[in-house]
Amino acid sequence: MIEFIRGLPKAELHLHIEGTLEPQMAFDLAKRNGVALPYANVEALTQAYNFSDLQSFLNLYYACMDVLRRSEDFADLASAYLQRAAADGVQHVEMFFDPQAHVNRGIPLRVVIEGLSSAASAARERYGISVLLIACFLRDRPATEAMSTLEALAEHRDAIHGVGLDSAELGHPPSDFAEVFAAAGEMGLHRVAHAGEEGPPDYIWQALDVLGVERVDHGIRAAEDPALLRRLAVDKIPLTVCPLSNVRLKCVENLSDHPLPALLDAGVVVTVNSDDPAYFGGYVVDNYVALQRAFDLDTATLEQLARNSLDASFRGDVRGS
Ligand code: HPA
Ligand code: ZN
């Protein structure tokens, strides 16, 4: 079954590149850059991967990314992920990154984008994999900061394909970012947003109706709202679902409690993704395998999920991909 899943052509549409920082690489980069990590060794860091909710994960995620300082660091990080993704049958990646998480600690935006872009070009040559960058705004930072970030991104317009919204969801509704998403739309950027991971279905409605998103990241709490399920199905708004993440962050207790079957039954376009694979115990194929086992999915459903990921991607925009 693993080989069947690995062989399915697929796209990964919900992947935070900073969330691919494996503990060993965190220590290697810490050494290379003379940065002290607040953990004695790889084992101690791995022990800390015992999250109680989204915020407890984010605290560690932001702490670890302090080792990313130079373009080479971002390039090495992305290259390691892309090599793995290619081996998992991933043909196309829409890679999230968090500009504010780097710029706010003094790393120029140019350094981040150059590093990621160089890894993307190398991976296209080596594996034929295509990569689009999606810059996510941190929703627990002020909307004014998101707007200045968008202005800074405008200087790298050619390297950026879309914008997203991530970080701590509760208490930070999508509507706070109406203006910045409108401005991004005017720049011709694609729009996606995390919504309904921990937050209520109303945040998903806002992402659709206020931000005008084309896909919803996570969106699992849509399962609580039949009218919203109908809206997603009728308008063919894909959800980028990340099952192992949902279990690790305790959005669902067990994988068997995951709303995937309800979403599929409602006719929603579901895609399977890894979110932050270094932290959540699995890359994209591991997520498919876990779902297959939890729900005894047949090969036709697995093929449909993989096909959905390619159909839901923005790669049709890109010549030659
Ligand atoms: N949710 C919100 N913000 C994030 C996540 C996530 O799963 N991963 C990285 N930033
Ligand atoms: Zn995410």
Side-chain angles (χ1 to χ4, degrees), residues 63-122:
C64 285
M65 65 174 81
D66 193 33
V67 304
L68 300 167
R69 299 285 175 101
R70 302 175 308 153
S71 274
E72 293 89 315
D73 305 334
F74 289 92
D76 288 352
L77 178 71
S79 293
Y81 162 72
L82 288 165
Q83 179 177 14
R84 257 193 110 136
D88 267 358
V90 174
Q91 297 184 340
H92 175 74
V93 180
E94 301 196 352
M95 183 181 282
F96 293 158
F97 71 108
D98 289 327
Q100 289 152 279
H102 307 301
V103 170
N104 291 355
R105 58 186 178 88
I107 312 298
L109 185 58
R110 177 187 46 76
V111 164
V112 181
I113 293 176
E114 277 179 9
L116 298 180
S117 300
S118 78
S121 321

Side-chain angles (χ1 to χ4, degrees), residues 99-291:
Q100 289 152 279
H102 307 301
V103 170
N104 291 355
R105 58 186 178 88
I107 312 298
L109 185 58
R110 177 187 46 76
V111 164
V112 181
I113 293 176
E114 277 179 9
L116 298 180
S117 300
S118 78
S121 321
R124 179 186 274 280
E125 296 241 318
R126 257 180 233 145
Y127 318 115
I129 194 168
S130 52
V131 181
L132 299 175
L133 294 183
I134 297 186
C136 292
F137 303 116
L138 302 186
R139 69 199 310 155
D140 50 356
R141 304 282 310 161
T144 46
E145 190 179 290
M147 194 59 101
S148 344
T149 304
L150 182 65
E151 283 158 17
L153 288 165
E155 289 171 34
H156 304 273
R157 177 65 189 82
D158 290 351
I160 306 294
H161 216 74
V163 295
L165 187 65
D166 67 3
S167 204
E169 186 179 14
L170 290 171
H172 302 289
S175 57
D176 289 355
F177 296 87
E179 257 181 75
V180 70
F181 270 67
E186 276 161 28
M187 286 168 62
L189 290 163
H190 285 286
R191 287 167 286 178
V192 299
H194 284 52
E197 177 185 18
E198 285 188 341
D202 181 51
Y203 283 18
I204 304 175
W205 285 109
Q206 288 182 27
L208 298 173
D209 293 334
V210 182
L211 304 187
V213 301
E214 297 155 83
R215 288 196 306 250
V216 175
D217 297 312
H218 294 295
I220 52 169
R221 289 195 59 191
E224 298 166 27
D225 181 340
L228 179 54
L229 285 176
R230 277 195 294 281
R231 167 75 184 279
L232 294 169
V234 168
D235 287 356
K236 298 191 165 52
I237 306 282
L239 300 186
T240 62
V241 169
C242 308
L244 293 176
S245 163
N246 297 151
V247 174
R248 286 294 183 104
L249 299 188
K250 306 207 165 17
C251 299
V252 299
E253 208 175 311
N254 299 297
L255 199 51
S256 53
D257 305 317
H258 196 278
L260 178 97
L263 299 171
L264 291 176
D265 284 350
V268 176
V269 180
V270 174
T271 68
V272 178
N273 307 272
S274 68
D275 206 5
D276 300 282
Y279 292 91
F280 299 149
Y283 284 74
V284 69
V285 161
D286 304 309
N287 277 269
Y288 277 81
V289 167
L291 285 177

